[in-house]
């Protein structure tokens, strides 16, 4: 199955990046991924963690290249642009550094409808095999976008994305039998979603790829077809008996296929069978026909075209040529045929991501709540929920279970707890820790917080996320903790102060703490409020310590907690 | 190196003899253009090489107040992709099945060649005033730049319950990744610049930022579902992010919640907006997509920094604000679809 890289599929982004890149590197002999990264991020076309420019480069610059999000995204853009034929390897034997192609230069210098049509020509030019993708794991021989338009028409104009993987992304389009079988097999799948899912699962297994990876491979082809105006999204219930977002060919898509269907379609294999002179003529004709269809004025090369057409008359048979040499052949043969050479003058690239400022993202600090303060249990633990929990901790069946083990056991036990169980439990834990805490019944929209520590001067609203809502505390919980604080200050249902914390409690601390951490800091800086974050296991550990050893943490710390806190036995 | 340029031979761009003083719209009729000498007439498509009915000027989709904002570069005028170029006729063509009647394309056409007829966007091709074929694309572009300053007046389509029902039926079915584009393009259409977060960029967080006609800057949350509270929460988050990331003070930021339907009166949103105003002195403005469309259909501007659009628990009536701007009553029933008052 064809694999398409997916750095981003918007037309505007593609053309803006290539134009910016051209401006940045046009004087250079060649350019590398670092130059691309610089050009892209400086112009705010790529972000890292919400930052752009130098900050984005710095934030994504990790020691491990594979985890450098900017570098990985730039690499994918480079592969897409190479697939379009806009850029090509400078050295025939290595993938990098790169140079612009003649087509790429025209893309960079065109505007408006011409640019859009040249983009479309670039997409139509994509075909496999070509002289760039020798290392690819797929073997399909196809002009994919011609094949998919044909498939769409033959399947009634509408397809579900997984049908792309099972069909046109996995066949040789010049093999009529294979094509007919593909249409037949998809037709047979239709009507039963399970049948499609089974076939898709079998495809994934055969490719040794995860379901999502195969699914993601459809994003770029679908995006490119939308950019060209060939397809649109449509909701369809009839294909598989349930409403699915499908792609539907547009009238323009049909017209495009009708136009290219009758063209002389040259692929790498047949190109190789011609003599050098004919090959050079086909390269020129392929190039100029793309330019002509895009609306560029090629009258200056009319004489060359006439001569080349005469030389290729037996091949063309009066038809228009469909052949992008830039997406098919190595640059040397293309440049020689056109007499236009790139990568021969200018200066060497100077930039390198390794020289960029290093990341200044800080690892979020976690305050340790030490369980050393004597703490007597006497805070109205009278609710049935409270009594049930105390039994679990102090019952005879767990008498000999070490506290640390008990914490782990209970932590696992509540992994599937819904809010109806979790909210009262959190309230109980705070009560054990010595706070007067009450919870709101789930669904009670009048009470905005999920629980509250009622204090004569410094009440604390608590936003709770049960493990079935979200396993790891997210940005959303922090937003709600801020809202709770503002509501409490406004409505004054409980007495508090601006300096007192607002809590978010969840099953686990956030996965990537830095974003939650930066939001907490931003809230403090902007509004002056402290948001504290506690995880369930820490609360369990603290409560069990109180119940078994009579020792808890310094309660005062909770009132002023900002950021993450944890406790363990 | 030989770089080929656009073929000029087939260029059909038209320019009028003079710059008009007004382009006036009446529902169901082609617009009428007026010149200083009293000449009037309807004008059809001028065959722009870069049609403004299809593409915004790139500066419109940026917000100069925050130059570093990583915005989406999609300049498409039609949020749902209903407009395309008919190469053979050299005019725009509209797929009215897709069209949501927002009027963005009608408003952005510099000559008023697009108009509503029977609730469908049509393209006028007849030119009743003096014109000539431009000698080049450059001459055409220069004329268009001047033409864009001509005031558009009148009404492109008359609002009604039936029309709104039809529009909202479409909006309710629309994919979520188009919601922000609809909000952004309506703000641009209403004389704001608006930069939208790129699709898939989860770190930027806010849906969009805008700069109003009176140069007031703000942040936008766009909510098409029922969870309007997520908009007010999002706005508080956005303000904090803008403060720490770009050094803006909360007092400099005029937040705007654009929702498909106003939150129901009993929903917590209105009370929270009031709480935020009381405690933080932040006035979250609220407006519905339908109200923005009504303003756009009458060629009005939207000035979100104006206290006019501050609604809260004590007053959820958007109708009176819209009436004040358009200067007439709005022909939408009370509470209809939550466009001008909460539905319930």
């Amino acid at each position: 199955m064809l694999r398409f890289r997916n750095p981003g599929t918007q037309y505007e982004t593609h053309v803006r990046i290539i134009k910016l890149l051209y401006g940045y590197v046009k004087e250079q002999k060649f350019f590398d991924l670092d130059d691309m990264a610089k050009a892209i991020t400086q112009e705010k076309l790529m972000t890292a963690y919400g930052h752009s420019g130098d900050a984005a480069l710095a934030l994504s610059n990790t020691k491990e290249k594979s985890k450098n999000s900017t570098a990985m995204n730039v690499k994918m853009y480079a592969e897409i642009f190479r697939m379009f034929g806009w850029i090509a390897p400078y050295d025939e034997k290595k993938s990098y550094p790169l140079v612009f192609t003649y087509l790429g230069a025209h893309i960079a210098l065109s505007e408006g409808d011409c640019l859009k049509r040249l983009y479309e020509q670039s997409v139509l030019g994509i075909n496999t095999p070509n002289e760039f993708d020798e290392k690819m794991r797929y073997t399909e021989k196809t002009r994919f976008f011609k094949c998919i338009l044909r498939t769409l028409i033959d399947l009634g104009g509408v397809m579900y994305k997984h049908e792309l993987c099972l069909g046109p992304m996995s066949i040789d389009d010049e093999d009529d039998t294979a094509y007919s079988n593909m249409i037949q097999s998809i037709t047979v799948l239709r009507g039963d979603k399970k049948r499609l899912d089974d076939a898709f699962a079998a495809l994934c297994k055969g490719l040794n790829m995860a379901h999502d990876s195969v699914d993601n491979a459809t994003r770029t082809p679908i995006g490119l077809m939308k950019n060209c105006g060939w397809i649109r999204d449509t909701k369809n219930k009839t294909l598989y008996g349930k409403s699915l977002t499908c792609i539907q060919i547009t009238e323009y898509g049909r017209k495009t296929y009708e136009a290219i269907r009758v063209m002389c379609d040259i692929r790498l294999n047949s190109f190789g069978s011609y003599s050098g002179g004919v090959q050079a003529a086909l390269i020129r004709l392929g190039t100029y026909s793309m330019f002509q269809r895009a609306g560029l004025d090629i009258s200056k090369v009319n004489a060359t075209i006439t001569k080349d057409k005469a030389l290729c008359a037996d091949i063309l048979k009066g038809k228009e040529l469909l052949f992008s040499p830039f997406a098919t052949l190595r640059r040397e043969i293309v440049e020689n045929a056109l007499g236009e050479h790139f990568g021969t003058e200018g200066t060497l690239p100077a930039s390198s991501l390794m020289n960029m400022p290093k990341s200044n993202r800080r690892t979020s600090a976690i305050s340790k709540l030490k369980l050393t303060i004597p703490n007597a249990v006497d805070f109205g633990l009278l609710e049935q929920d409270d009594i049930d929990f105390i039994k679990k901790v102090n019952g005879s069946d767990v008498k000999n279970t070490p506290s640390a083990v008990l914490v782990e056991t209970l932590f696992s036990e509540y992994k599937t707890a819904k809010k109806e169980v979790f909210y009262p439990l959190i309230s109980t834990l705070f009560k054990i820790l010595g706070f007067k805490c009450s919870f709101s019944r789930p669904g009670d929209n009048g009470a905005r917080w999920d629980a509250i520590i009622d204090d004569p001067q410094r009440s604390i609203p608590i936003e709770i996320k049960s493990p079935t809502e979200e396993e790891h505390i997210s940005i959303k919980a922090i937003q709600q903790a801020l809202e709770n604080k503002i509501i409490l200050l406004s409505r004054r249902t409980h007495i508090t102060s601006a300096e007192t914390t607002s809590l978010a409690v969840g099953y686990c601390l956030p996965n990537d703490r830095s974003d939650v951490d930066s939001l907490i800091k931003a809230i403090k800086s902007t509004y002056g409020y402290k948001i504290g974050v506690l995880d369930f296991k820490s609360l369990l550990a603290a409560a069990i310590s109180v119940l078994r050893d009579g020792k808890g943490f310094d309660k005062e710390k909770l009132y002023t907690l900002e950021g993450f806190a944890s406790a363990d036995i | 190196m030989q770089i080929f340029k656009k073929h000029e031979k087939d260029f059909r761009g038209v320019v009028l003899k003079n710059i008009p003083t007004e382009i006036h719209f009446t529902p169901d009729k082609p617009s009428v253009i007026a010149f200083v000498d009293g000449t009037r007439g309807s004008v059809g498509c001028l065959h722009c090489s870069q049609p403004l009915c299809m593409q915004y000027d790139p500066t419109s989709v940026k917000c100069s107040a925050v130059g570093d904002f990583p915005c989406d570069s999609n300049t498409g005028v039609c949020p749902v992709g209903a407009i395309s170029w008919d190469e053979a006729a050299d005019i725009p063509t509209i797929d009215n099945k897709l069209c949501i009647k927002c009027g963005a394309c009608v408003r952005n056409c510099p000559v008023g060649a697009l108009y509503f007829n029977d609730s469908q966007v049509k393209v006028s091709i007849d030119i009743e005033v003096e014109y000539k074929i431009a000698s080049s694309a450059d001459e055409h572009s220069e004329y268009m730049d001047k033409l864009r300053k001509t005031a558009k007046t009148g009404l492109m389509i008359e609002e009604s319950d039936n029309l709104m029902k039809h529009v909202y039926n479409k909006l309710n079915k629309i994919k979520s990744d188009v919601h922000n584009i609809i909000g952004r393009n309506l703000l641009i259409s209403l004389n704001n610049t608006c930069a939208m977060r790129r699709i898939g960029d989860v770190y930027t967080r806010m849906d969009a930022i805008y700069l109003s006609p009176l140069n007031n800057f703000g942040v936008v949350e766009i909510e098409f579902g029922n969870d309007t509270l997520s908009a007010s929460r999002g706005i508080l988050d956005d303000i904090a992010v803008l403060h720490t990331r770009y050094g803006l003070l909360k007092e400099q930021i005029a937040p705007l919640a654009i929702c498909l339907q106003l939150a129901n009166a009993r929903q917590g949103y209105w009370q929270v907006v009031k709480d935020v105003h009381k405690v933080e002195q932040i006035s979250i403005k609220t407006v519905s997509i339908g109200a923005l469309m009504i303003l756009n259909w009458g060629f009005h501007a939207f000035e979100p920094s104006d206290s006019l659009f501050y609604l809260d628990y004590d007053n959820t009536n958007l109708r009176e604000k819209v009436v004040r701007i358009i200067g007439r009553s709005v022909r939408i029933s009370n509470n209809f679809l939550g466009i001008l008052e909460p539905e319930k």
Side-chain angles (χ1 to χ4, degrees):
Chain A
M1 189 191 79
L2 296 177
R3 272 80 140 182
F4 291 94
R5 290 293 202 166
N6 178 35
T9 56
Q10 279 190 304
Y11 165 78
E12 288 80 7
T13 307
H14 287 168
V15 299
R16 230 180 120 198
I17 288 177
I18 202 74
K19 281 170 175 286
L20 284 167
L21 182 63
Y22 188 82
Y24 266 71
V25 304
K26 64 180 178 183
E27 300 298 326
Q28 295 180 184
K29 189 172 181 181
F30 49 68
F31 61 92
D32 59 16
L33 294 178
D34 295 343
D35 293 311
M36 282 186 74
K38 255 199 154 181
I40 291 169
T41 50
Q42 294 309 311
E43 296 298 330
K44 288 92 187 173
L45 282 167
M46 198 188 296
T47 56
Y49 312 105
H51 293 265
S52 55
D54 283 339
L57 278 179
L59 286 169
S60 60
N61 188 18
T62 61
K63 280 181 185 170
E64 288 177 73
K65 200 93 176 170
S66 64
K67 287 184 182 172
N68 182 331
S69 58
T70 304
M72 286 299 106
N73 216 21
V74 165
K75 193 173 176 212
M76 286 195 279
Y77 271 119
E79 289 180 22
I80 289 282
F81 293 168
R82 201 166 53 192
M83 181 176 78
F84 284 150
W86 296 350
I87 57 178
Y90 171 76
D91 187 326
E92 301 279 306
K93 291 173 190 159
K94 290 190 287 187
S95 301
Y96 303 99
L98 298 152
V99 290
F100 265 80
T101 66
Y102 196 46
L103 173 62
H106 276 83
I107 286 278
L109 296 170
S110 295
E111 296 291 343
D113 52 342
C114 263
L115 173 59
K116 187 121 191 172
R117 288 198 289 254
L118 204 49
Y119 181 93
E120 184 185 25
Q121 290 301 313
S122 306
V123 175
L124 286 173
I126 296 166
N127 71 107
T128 54
N130 56 57
E131 292 186 336
F132 304 112
D133 59 9
E134 288 163 353
K135 292 177 196 162
M136 296 300 175
R137 279 171 290 176
Y138 51 79
T139 55
E140 283 75 14
K141 296 173 183 170
T142 183
R143 185 175 298 283
F144 173 71
F145 289 97
K146 180 182 172 189
C147 178
I148 172 70
L149 289 174
R150 181 186 178 194
T151 309
L152 267 163
I153 292 168
D154 288 345
L155 286 171
V158 179
M159 287 179 80
Y160 181 59
K161 59 182 178 177
H162 289 173
E163 294 177 344
L164 266 64
C165 307
L166 292 160
M169 287 168 77
S170 301
I171 63 150
D172 297 347
D173 68 339
E174 290 181 318
D175 181 340
D176 287 340
T177 310
Y179 180 81
S180 302
N181 289 343
M182 179 269 284
I183 295 291
Q184 177 64 20
S185 67
I186 291 177
T187 308
V188 167
L189 288 177
R190 289 188 166 179
D192 185 346
K193 181 69 169 36
K194 189 178 178 305
R195 215 157 43 211
L196 174 72
D197 292 344
D198 290 346
F200 188 73
L203 175 73
C204 299
K205 196 177 172 190
L207 294 167
N208 197 22
M209 286 173 73
H211 175 285
D212 288 352
S213 301
V214 181
D215 182 281
N216 286 345
T218 63
R219 286 189 186 177
T220 291
I222 288 175
L224 298 188
M225 287 193 284
K226 282 183 186 169
N227 289 344
C228 293
W230 300 334
I231 60 163
R232 66 168 70 97
D233 281 339
T234 183
K235 284 272 181 196
N236 185 293
K237 276 186 188 171
T238 55
L239 288 189
Y240 289 99
K242 60 185 288 189
S243 181
L244 295 171
T245 300
C246 294
I247 56 168
Q248 180 178 34
I249 193 166
T250 59
E251 195 49 41
Y252 180 65
R254 286 178 190 275
K255 282 182 184 167
T256 302
Y257 177 70
E258 283 311 310
I260 59 174
R261 185 178 64 83
V262 294
M263 288 184 191
C264 174
D265 184 348
I266 296 285
R267 310 282 175 92
L268 183 62
N269 283 354
S270 55
F271 180 83
S273 67
Y274 302 124
S275 69
V278 172
Q279 286 185 346
L282 285 171
I283 288 169
R284 285 189 292 272
L285 288 174
T287 303
Y288 299 144
S289 60
M290 289 173 79
F291 288 179
Q292 188 173 32
R293 287 192 288 268
L296 297 178
D297 182 359
I298 54 162
S299 54
K300 285 180 187 166
V301 287
N302 276 348
T304 308
I305 291 172
T306 307
K307 209 167 123 191
D308 287 339
K309 275 187 177 173
L311 187 61
C312 301
D314 290 346
I315 301 166
L316 296 174
K317 297 187 173 70
K319 294 178 183 173
E320 213 173 308
L321 183 58
L322 180 63
F323 173 54
S324 169
F326 310 97
T328 313
L329 307 170
R330 290 184 190 278
R331 75 178 180 103
E332 189 181 5
I333 185 175
V334 179
E335 290 185 355
N336 286 339
L338 293 168
E340 301 285 2
H341 295 276
F342 290 74
T344 54
E345 53 194 42
T347 56
L348 290 173
S351 68
S352 164
L353 269 185
M354 299 310 291
N355 298 330
M356 291 292 122
K358 294 287 180 201
S359 168
N360 58 3
R361 288 184 100 202
R362 281 167 294 179
T363 310
S364 318
I366 302 178
S367 311
K368 274 280 174 198
L369 299 171
K370 289 179 187 168
L371 303 175
T372 53
I373 307 294
N375 200 333
V377 184
D378 182 24
F379 300 97
L381 288 156
L382 302 171
E383 303 279 339
Q384 192 57 47
D385 298 314
D386 307 333
I387 295 161
D388 290 346
F389 180 79
I390 291 167
K391 271 186 194 168
K392 280 188 180 184
V393 176
N394 286 342
S396 55
D397 53 332
V398 293
K399 198 175 163 188
N400 296 322
T401 306
S403 294
V405 174
L406 187 59
V407 168
E408 290 299 333
T409 307
L410 290 175
F411 181 69
S412 301
E413 187 182 320
Y414 286 105
K415 186 165 187 181
T416 54
K418 294 186 175 166
K419 45 187 171 183
E420 290 78 3
V421 172
F422 204 68
Y423 292 7
L425 175 63
I426 296 299
S427 171
T428 296
L429 296 178
F430 276 110
K431 281 194 261 183
I432 291 168
L433 292 169
F435 298 97
K436 187 180 173 190
C437 187
S438 60
F439 64 93
S440 310
R441 296 279 167 202
D444 177 4
N445 291 331
R448 303 278 6 140
W449 39 79
D450 300 319
I452 190 159
I453 291 172
D454 189 5
D455 184 274
Q457 298 295 327
R458 298 177 294 170
S459 296
I460 302 173
I462 308 172
E463 184 62 33
I464 305 173
K465 292 291 175 195
S466 70
T468 47
E469 289 173 280
E470 57 185 35
E471 192 173 339
H472 296 268
I473 294 167
S474 69
I475 291 275
K476 209 172 165 185
I478 308 305
Q479 289 177 339
Q480 286 175 276
L482 170 62
E483 180 186 280
N484 291 343
K485 181 75 196 175
I486 290 172
I487 290 172
L488 190 56
L489 286 169
S490 168
R491 302 183 197 176
R492 298 178 186 173
T493 52
H494 299 72
I495 299 169
T496 193
S497 65
E499 295 74 30
T500 306
T501 196
S502 180
L503 280 179
V505 176
Y507 191 68
C508 295
L509 289 179
N511 244 336
D512 178 1
R513 286 194 293 275
S514 53
D515 292 315
V516 171
D517 187 41
S518 62
L519 178 59
I520 291 169
K521 288 188 170 81
I523 287 169
K524 181 70 176 19
S525 165
T526 311
Y527 303 105
Y529 304 135
K530 298 184 189 91
I531 307 290
V533 182
L534 282 166
D535 66 308
F536 176 54
K537 194 185 274 186
S538 296
L539 275 178
L540 264 181
I544 288 171
S545 172
V546 168
L547 288 173
R548 288 189 153 189
D549 307 326
K551 286 184 178 173
F553 59 76
D554 179 1
K555 283 166 62 180
E556 193 56 32
K557 283 192 173 173
L558 195 73
Y559 289 102
T560 54
L561 180 63
E562 186 189 350
F564 309 104
S566 73
D568 47 32
I569 291 176
Chain B
M1 184 191 308
Q2 176 158 6
I3 292 290
F4 296 101
K5 291 194 172 170
K6 186 179 175 180
H7 212 301
E8 295 286 356
K9 198 173 66 180
D10 297 331
F11 184 70
R12 289 196 261 169
V14 168
V15 293
L16 307 181
K17 197 178 170 191
N18 294 306
I19 301 293
T21 52
E22 184 192 0
I23 301 169
H24 189 79
F25 285 74
T26 308
D28 298 324
K29 289 180 182 167
S31 68
V32 173
I33 205 160
F35 294 92
V36 71
D37 63 1
T39 314
R40 296 171 71 83
S42 84
V43 175
C45 180
L46 301 186
H47 313 291
C48 302
S49 56
Q50 292 185 44
L52 293 168
C53 58
M54 293 178 66
Q55 298 294 329
Y56 284 122
D57 182 324
T59 56
S60 301
V61 302
K62 289 179 185 169
C63 184
S64 58
V66 184
D68 278 350
F69 188 78
C71 60
D72 194 294
S73 55
N74 173 8
T75 53
V77 169
C78 179
V80 294
I83 190 164
S84 56
W85 195 257
D86 181 335
E87 296 288 343
D90 203 24
I91 56 169
T93 176
I94 288 90
D95 183 341
N96 275 292
K97 279 187 196 159
L98 291 178
C99 173
I100 55 167
K101 324 293 176 202
C102 67
C105 58
V106 175
R107 187 155 183 179
N108 214 45
C109 169
V111 76
L114 275 64
Y115 66 103
F116 279 102
N117 188 354
D118 197 18
S119 303
Q120 302 214 327
V121 177
K122 306 281 184 189
V123 182
S124 174
I125 51 171
D126 297 327
I127 303 178
E128 295 176 350
V129 299
E130 273 191 84
Y131 70 93
K132 65 165 189 165
I133 303 291
S135 59
S136 68
D138 288 344
E139 185 196 350
H140 193 261
S141 294
E142 277 171 31
Y143 180 79
M144 285 300 151
D145 283 344
K146 291 176 192 162
L147 190 57
R148 285 171 73 178
K149 296 182 182 104
T150 304
K152 295 192 183 81
T153 58
L155 187 64
M156 60 174 94
I157 187 169
E158 201 164 50
E159 74 279 1
S160 68
D161 287 359
N162 267 345
L163 175 64
M164 282 302 187
K165 191 177 169 189
H166 177 72
V167 168
Y168 268 60
N169 269 341
K170 287 190 170 185
L171 292 173
N172 275 315
K173 290 176 192 159
I174 226 148
K175 276 178 71 181
S176 60
D177 55 6
V178 184
H179 296 171
N180 286 0
I181 307 177
I182 293 173
R184 181 197 72 168
N185 287 12
L186 277 168
L187 284 183
I188 293 173
S189 215
L190 292 158
N191 297 352
N192 289 257
T193 58
C194 185
M196 176 179 79
R197 166 172 62 92
R198 278 204 287 275
I199 294 167
D201 177 0
V202 294
Y203 294 103
T204 297
R205 300 243 268 282
M206 59 215 71
D207 289 335
I209 53 174
Y210 71 89
L211 194 64
S212 77
L214 295 177
N215 274 336
N216 285 296
F217 167 77
V219 66
V220 188
E221 283 293 322
I222 298 166
E223 179 58 50
F224 269 49
N226 295 323
D227 188 13
T228 323
L229 266 172
S230 68
S232 52
R233 279 176 198 143
I235 279 170
L236 292 171
D237 179 338
D238 300 341
I239 290 172
V241 169
L242 284 170
H243 173 64
T244 50
R245 216 173 268 173
Y246 302 106
L248 292 157
L249 300 174
K250 64 181 183 183
E251 294 78 14
Q252 294 174 298
I253 303 167
L256 172 66
I258 298 177
C259 45
L260 186 60
Q261 297 178 281
L262 297 179
N264 284 337
R266 288 179 60 199
Q267 274 182 283
Y269 172 77
W270 299 113
Q271 183 67 55
V272 169
V273 169
K274 188 179 171 185
D275 292 325
V276 171
H277 184 65
K278 181 177 168 188
V279 177
E280 296 299 324
Q281 291 79 51
I282 292 172
S283 305
I284 298 174
K285 280 63 170 195
T286 308
V287 70
S288 66
I289 291 284
L292 290 177
M293 285 189 180
I294 291 168
L295 295 178
N296 196 39
W297 294 336
F299 300 97
H300 298 282
F302 182 68
E303 181 53 62
S305 61
D306 197 327
S307 61
L308 206 60
F309 286 96
Y310 176 71
L311 306 173
D312 70 12
Y313 185 75
D314 297 330
N315 178 16
T316 55
N317 188 337
L318 181 60
R319 179 183 301 269
E320 60 189 49
K321 323 281 183 186
V322 173
V323 165
R324 211 181 298 174
I325 293 173
I326 68 175
R328 61 170 174 82
S329 62
V330 186
R331 301 170 194 96
I332 303 282
S333 302
N334 282 342
N335 311 102
F336 190 68
L337 297 174
I339 293 171
L340 297 172
E341 302 90 3
E343 197 170 16
K344 292 176 194 165

